[in-house]
């Protein structure tokens, strides 16, 4: 009765897998064929294991995707920060070149590097500078 046609059988196997009144469903079969208890227990065990594996895979895939997205965002931010700092250095070196020869002398560099704005920018990217 419960396992006569394909569609009711599929639905009832789903009910067994979800443990929804499974003992009532399998009782008529296991009364006639007691060996089928092992088959139903194996089915429940494998089905539960499969559902846990699928759930773990979905969560893991989501976490990997989220981590990848965060890494890409961080990489873009770092790249943007580097480009911004390079532009700042280029402009700062050009401004610090007082004699306009395209080269910074030691005194020009030290004067530029001692400015508070320059020290903040250098510190922001992890460069500590002190005059010796």
């Amino acid at each position: 009765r419960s396992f006569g046609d394909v569609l009711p059988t599929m639905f009832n196997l789903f009910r067994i897998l979800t443990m929804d009144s499974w003992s009532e469903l399998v009782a008529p079969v296991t009364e006639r064929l007691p060996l089928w208890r092992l088959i139903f227990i194996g089915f429940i065990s494998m089905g539960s294991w499969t559902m846990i594996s699928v759930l773990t895979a979905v969560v893991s895939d989501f976490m990997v995707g989220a981590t990848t997205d965060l890494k890409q965002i961080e990489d873009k931010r770092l790249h943007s920060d580097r480009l911004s700092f390079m532009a700042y250095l280029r402009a700062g070196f050009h401004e610090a070149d007082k004699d306009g020869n395209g080269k910074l002398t030691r005194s020009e560099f030290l004067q530029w590097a001692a400015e508070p704005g320059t020290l903040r920018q250098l510190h922001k990217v992890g460069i500590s500078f002190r005059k010796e």
Side-chain angles (χ1 to χ4, degrees):
R1 169 176 69 107
S2 298
F3 299 98
D5 293 327
V6 173
L7 288 178
T9 299
M10 288 174 57
F11 179 70
N12 288 326
L13 286 174
F14 177 76
R15 285 181 60 193
I16 291 169
L17 186 62
T18 59
M19 307 293 279
D20 179 30
S21 306
W22 75 279
S23 58
E24 295 171 9
L25 287 171
V26 300
V29 175
T30 57
E31 286 174 3
R32 292 185 206 176
L33 304 165
L35 190 57
W36 273 82
R37 288 183 182 135
L38 293 175
I39 293 172
F40 284 121
I41 290 172
F43 176 76
I44 291 170
S45 299
M46 293 302 289
S48 299
W49 183 264
T50 301
M51 294 303 284
I52 290 172
S53 297
V54 168
L55 179 64
T56 303
V58 168
V59 170
S60 297
D61 184 55
F62 176 77
M63 294 303 292
V64 167
T67 303
T68 301
D69 290 345
L70 287 176
K71 174 118 175 74
Q72 288 175 349
I73 290 169
E74 181 66 18
D75 288 347
K76 285 180 183 178
R77 188 190 64 77
L78 285 174
H79 182 69
S80 174
D81 288 350
R82 285 185 189 123
L83 291 177
S84 174
F85 183 67
M86 286 172 30
Y88 174 79
L89 283 179
R90 190 175 299 116
F93 283 1
H94 182 69
E95 183 182 319
D97 184 19
K98 300 295 183 198
D99 56 8
N101 66 355
K103 297 179 183 177
L104 282 182
T105 63
R106 180 177 169 82
S107 64
E108 289 173 335
F109 175 76
L110 291 175
Q111 186 179 2
W112 172 78
E115 294 175 5
T118 302
L119 290 173
R120 271 194 306 276
Q121 286 293 333
L122 291 173
H123 182 68
K124 191 175 172 182
V125 294
I127 298 172
S128 61
F129 179 77
R130 55 189 166 154
K131 202 172 12 175
E132 291 184 16

